Amino acid sequence: MLEAVTALGSVFFDPYLLFLIFATTIIGIVIGVLPGLGATTGAALLLPFTLTMEPVHAIAVLATIYVAATFAGSITAILINTPGTSAAAATTFDGFPLAQRGEAGRALGVAVMSSTFGGVASVIVLCFAAPLLARVAYEFRPPEYFALTIFGLSMLASISAGGAIKNLMGGVFGVWLSTIGAERVTAIERFMFGNYELYEGLGFVPVMIGLFAMSELLVQSKVANNAVEFVKMKAVQLPSREDYKKIWKTVLRSSGIGTFIGILPAEGATVASMIGYSEAKRWSKNKEEFGKGSIEGIAGAESANNAATGGAMVPTMVLGIPGSGTTAIILVGLMVHGLRPGPYLFTEQVNSVYQIFGSMLAANIMFLLMGLYAAKIFARISLVPINLLWPIVFALSVIGAYALNSSLLDVWIALIFGVIGFFARRFGFAVAPIAVGLILGKMVEVNLQNSLKMFNGEWWLIFTQPLAVFFLILAFLGLCGPQIFAMYKNSRKS
Amino acid sequence: MSVKTQIVPIFLTAVSFSIIYLALQLDLSPPMIVGDSMQPRSFPIFLMVLNLILTGALALQFYRNPPKDQEPILRITWLTMALMVLFYALTVSIDMFVGISVVMFLMSLIWGQRSILIAAANAIITPFLVFLLFDIVLRIRFPRGLITNWYYG
């Protein structure tokens, strides 16, 4: 425990790491305020830049981008009614009306304070929950891991965009992508079409860059000439004592909701902010203010979405199951830098783990300061013409895709997945399930193979393992729960 | 029920069957190596069967609630995709950085940038800075081409 606390505190005495977090917070906020970019695209674009860094520094950079960009989406949500990230969509409901009333500074103040509280609270939960979960995860054997990954994939059904069937199909497609390359046990080449650069499978980095950055580029081409309405503001105001009295319960509740939703595999900040907002409305005494400029609405959405960042890191680091699109990229970062995600990370790399947690804490404090003193400047960045911004994203994407393996094939993969991602989104399929499926795919197949070996080919013996059965029941409830609940509700009504 | 509303399920069914066909062409591994585990072809086939079941559910969903008609893809989006093809052609035939600069320049103009000077400056300065960053700081060597040959010597 002492070792963990020392490692966490050491972040605040490491000038180089603090400088990195400071610089990355600025980059993260810039990414967050630029509509269309967002935490996931930002992390995908920055991943290649971390290749030569120390593992802890690299993951700290990616985690900071995650935290800072998630917060920064609220700046443009409030000032120009355009959420910088999807997680800030619920903030527009009350943020922009409040800004139109001339209270943009107050709205931003509430957003900054709520985000910081949600973020810090979730990192504290992360520090305690992750090692506890890791202790449980030590007991996991292949059947449990297989069932856990099935549970993770089943949770894709409830990701906000797309719809259950489409999300599951995306997940299955992602798992299939993971089968490309030489099969682990027999070395039989699968779907390589004679291309030996694919022997070890599709690279995660080019696929992520393609699915998130390149496809977004094509989506953004639709709005190339759109104009935005920018609301003027004087300065960011800290919430008054009355404001705090009004929002503290909402902030506490939404921080808890956000952290819990973040912990669920494959759920993320967007779902958290929507639920945080609707719960704030449900419990509020001033329901009629919602949608017209309620500070409780802003606090509910913002504390929940930032709380989800810490929560989402729990399954990512402890189980190797990403809690969101951005944590999928952080997971890739962990693997690229030789930090094997899983329970053993908490015994073999305690220092690294708690330094990463400390970095997230530092990032929350940094964006608090920057949000309070520089939000106005950052908001101006959102006015950069997208006809200059997205060509830059194109350049960073192709060079980033090339950088990891110095392979032109990776560049073509990024371009192809950009087009696939664009058409998938056009027909209502979210791209995050494909990314999560690709990452979990190897885990599913390897653990299924190992389980079969363990039980001499008798697969049904997986159902004799209590923990595996527990996860499979959770997966079933994740898939069928909403339908069963709706049928139960209908039968009670009739 | 029109074919237009079921175009996505039809396409996905075709993809799934194609992958099953490709998986069936994979070599079988001797039982001594596979042991109690499964053949390399089994897992992809299982995934595609699952995909076909989900596609059936999607088709049913589309039958009950036909999806809204899509707006046609804009010319600007097709042109952006064409620029990606142009990037491929320029990279393999001339130089990756020539490809990036040309595509950046044309993309800026297609996306509505009126000043040729600003578009050109962005297309030259950005790749140059990114190249320096990756070459000097990250020590990544880029593929040989017209410019990189001159730079690397």
Side-chain angles (χ1 to χ4, degrees), chain A residues 236-298:
Chain A
V236 180
Q237 289 169 5
L238 278 173
S240 66
R241 187 178 285 222
E242 275 66 41
D243 287 343
Y244 279 121
K245 269 187 189 170
K246 216 171 172 183
I247 63 170
W248 72 270
K249 279 184 193 163
T250 304
V251 170
L252 272 178
R253 192 187 311 111
S254 290
S255 298
I257 291 170
T259 308
F260 176 73
I261 289 173
I263 291 173
L264 295 177
E267 296 301 326
T270 309
V271 180
S273 68
M274 288 297 175
I275 296 178
Y277 180 83
S278 61
E279 285 304 302
K281 189 176 177 182
R282 198 156 72 95
W283 290 89
S284 173
K285 288 173 189 163
N286 310 300
K287 288 189 181 69
E288 68 288 347
E289 282 180 21
F290 278 75
K292 294 170 190 161
S294 162
I295 57 167
E296 286 173 272
I298 299 171

Side-chain angles (χ1 to χ4, degrees), chain A residues 40-41 43-48 203-216 329 393-394 396-403 410 413-415 417-418:
Chain A
T40 314
T41 312
L45 288 177
L46 252 101
L47 181 58
F204 289 142
V205 177
V207 174
M208 300 287 167
I209 288 177
L211 285 177
F212 293 108
M214 286 290 190
S215 72
E216 187 63 44
I329 291 163
V393 171
F394 174 79
L396 289 173
S397 299
V398 291
I399 294 173
Y402 174 82
D410 283 351
I413 287 173
L415 293 175
F417 275 91

Side-chain angles (χ1 to χ4, degrees), chain A residues 95-425:
Chain A
F96 189 65
L98 207 59
Q100 280 179 314
R101 286 195 332 228
E103 294 183 80
R106 182 174 167 228
L108 273 170
V110 170
V112 172
M113 294 307 292
S114 309
S115 295
T116 307
F117 186 87
V120 170
S122 75
V123 173
I124 293 169
V125 172
L126 172 66
C127 291
F128 288 101
L132 285 178
L133 188 60
R135 252 182 251 169
V136 178
Y138 279 128
E139 308 298 323
F140 290 4
R141 293 167 309 150
E144 284 81 16
Y145 266 114
F146 169 70
L148 183 67
T149 45
I150 295 296
F151 168 54
L153 287 169
S154 74
M155 293 303 285
L156 291 173
S158 48
I159 281 181
S160 55
I165 296 172
K166 287 179 179 175
N167 287 336
L168 287 173
M169 290 176 86
V172 171
F173 178 62
V175 175
W176 173 74
L177 289 175
S178 76
T179 66
I180 293 174
E183 202 266 342
R184 191 183 61 104
V185 180
T186 59
I188 285 177
E189 295 156 14
R190 296 190 292 196
F191 314 111
M192 284 167 53
F193 304 105
N195 198 324
Y196 285 92
E197 277 191 81
L198 290 174
Y199 196 80
E200 290 188 10
L202 279 177
F204 289 142
V205 177
V207 174
M208 300 287 167
I209 288 177
L211 285 177
F212 293 108
M214 286 290 190
S215 72
E216 187 63 44
L217 183 146
L218 292 168
V219 170
Q220 289 293 320
S221 65
K222 276 200 300 193
V223 291
N225 297 314
N226 280 10
V228 291
E229 184 190 347
F230 191 91
V231 175
K232 283 181 186 169
M233 69 159 188
K234 285 172 189 161
V236 180
Q237 289 169 5
L238 278 173
S240 66
R241 187 178 285 222
E242 275 66 41
D243 287 343
Y244 279 121
K245 269 187 189 170
K246 216 171 172 183
I247 63 170
W248 72 270
K249 279 184 193 163
T250 304
V251 170
L252 272 178
R253 192 187 311 111
S254 290
S255 298
I257 291 170
T259 308
F260 176 73
I261 289 173
I263 291 173
L264 295 177
E267 296 301 326
T270 309
V271 180
S273 68
M274 288 297 175
I275 296 178
Y277 180 83
S278 61
E279 285 304 302
K281 189 176 177 182
R282 198 156 72 95
W283 290 89
S284 173
K285 288 173 189 163
N286 310 300
K287 288 189 181 69
E288 68 288 347
E289 282 180 21
F290 278 75
K292 294 170 190 161
S294 162
I295 57 167
E296 286 173 272
I298 299 171
E302 280 303 306
S303 45
N305 69 20
N306 263 68
T309 58
M313 291 294 278
V314 176
T316 307
M317 298 192 73
V318 181
L319 306 169
I321 292 180
S324 65
T326 319
T327 46
I329 291 163
I330 295 175
L331 193 69
V332 173
L334 283 165
M335 293 192 267
V336 165
H337 286 281
L339 294 171
R340 195 165 59 98
Y344 292 98
L345 199 62
F346 288 78
T347 46
E348 291 162 7
Q349 309 270 357
V350 181
N351 278 341
S352 304
V353 167
Y354 280 90
Q355 279 179 325
I356 293 166
F357 294 170
S359 305
M360 287 183 77
L361 203 60
N364 275 291
I365 296 165
M366 294 228 185
F367 83 61
L368 167 71
L369 300 175
M370 285 184 207
L372 288 178
Y373 297 107
K376 202 174 162 181
I377 302 164
F378 284 121
R380 290 266 155 211
I381 294 166
S382 65
L383 300 179
V384 169
I386 71 166
N387 52 39
L388 295 179
L389 172 71
W390 284 94
I392 295 173
V393 171
F394 174 79
L396 289 173
S397 299
V398 291
I399 294 173
Y402 174 82
L404 184 65
N405 297 318
S406 298
S407 160
L408 271 176
L409 179 70
D410 283 351
V411 179
W412 314 140
I413 287 173
L415 293 175
I416 291 166
F417 275 91
V419 176
I420 290 174
F422 169 74
F423 281 103
R425 291 165 72 166

Side-chain angles (χ1 to χ4, degrees), chain B residues 64-75:
Chain B
R64 285 180 183 160
N65 286 317
K68 286 177 194 162
D69 277 346
Q70 296 267 359
E71 283 174 25
I73 295 176
L74 299 178
R75 203 172 128 251

Side-chain angles (χ1 to χ4, degrees), chain A residues 68-84:
Chain A
T70 304
F71 150 70
S74 67
I75 298 177
T76 45
I78 290 167
L79 294 179
I80 58 173
N81 202 24
T82 307

